[in-house]
Amino acid sequence: MSSEARLYTFSPETKDHLRKFRLGTSRASGPQAVIYMIDKKTYEIKQDADKIVYKSLDEIADDLPDNSPRYVLLSYPVHLPSGRLSVPYVLLYYLPNTCNAESRMMYAGAKELMRNTAEVGRVIDIESADDLEDIPTKLSAE
């Protein structure tokens, strides 16, 4: 068991939600996303309090905090250059420049655990909500 697996935890409900979200988005016709955070007191990785499933990148951008990192699980259907529809399932690792060192270290330490537990295909680092505009291009370039 890795050290981050002992420090950071997922509740059974969170693990179940991660699995259901991943399976439910594989045939989605539109974008779907959920935002996860780390509780600073318990080190539990959990969905934000609102438990919103976002349907657009603009909605996500509106809800990302200015000074705190977050993990965003995103399923985003794109048409590949071949014309085929692909629905990549990715982790957006949101790490704003303005967050403090403690938060940076906490989220960096749990990044791989979140990636493995959520079973995403790829991690994309973003520093601001404006970086979300480039996501469709990055996903269709796969």
Side-chain angles (χ1 to χ4, degrees):
M1 181 183 268
S2 63
S3 60
E4 61 270 359
R6 288 189 297 268
L7 178 62
Y8 302 100
T9 61
F10 291 91
S11 69
E13 295 82 20
T14 298
K15 284 185 176 180
D16 190 48
H17 180 267
L18 285 169
R19 187 181 61 76
K20 286 180 180 173
F21 183 74
R22 181 177 52 84
L23 295 173
T25 59
S26 62
R27 292 186 181 86
S29 58
Q32 292 186 33
V34 287
I35 297 176
Y36 280 82
M37 58 185 282
I38 300 175
D39 184 308
K40 289 183 179 180
K41 291 182 180 75
T42 63
Y43 291 100
E44 179 186 346
I45 301 171
K46 58 186 179 180
Q47 197 173 356
D48 64 354
D50 298 333
K51 299 197 182 316
I52 296 172
V53 176
Y54 298 90
K55 301 292 185 189
S56 76
L57 295 175
D58 290 336
E59 288 178 13
I60 299 166
D62 290 343
D63 276 8
L64 286 175
D66 293 334
N67 302 322
S68 299
R70 291 291 186 267
Y71 301 118
V72 181
L73 293 174
L74 174 68
S75 171
Y76 196 91
V78 293
H79 287 282
L80 301 175
S82 65
R84 197 172 56 91
L85 179 67
S86 175
V87 187
Y89 183 56
V90 299
L91 172 66
L92 303 180
Y93 175 45
Y94 174 66
L95 187 65
N97 291 327
T98 55
C99 71
N100 64 37
E102 179 187 4
S103 293
R104 285 179 174 275
M105 294 301 290
M106 185 170 52
Y107 278 78
K111 181 178 173 181
E112 285 302 313
L113 179 64
M114 180 68 182
R115 174 188 195 148
N116 294 335
T117 304
E119 299 179 47
V120 296
R122 180 176 170 193
V123 177
I124 300 173
D125 295 350
I126 60 174
E127 293 180 348
S128 74
D130 294 338
D131 292 346
L132 289 169
E133 295 172 12
D134 300 332
I135 296 300
T137 306
K138 287 181 179 182
L139 293 177
S140 59
E142 281 188 344

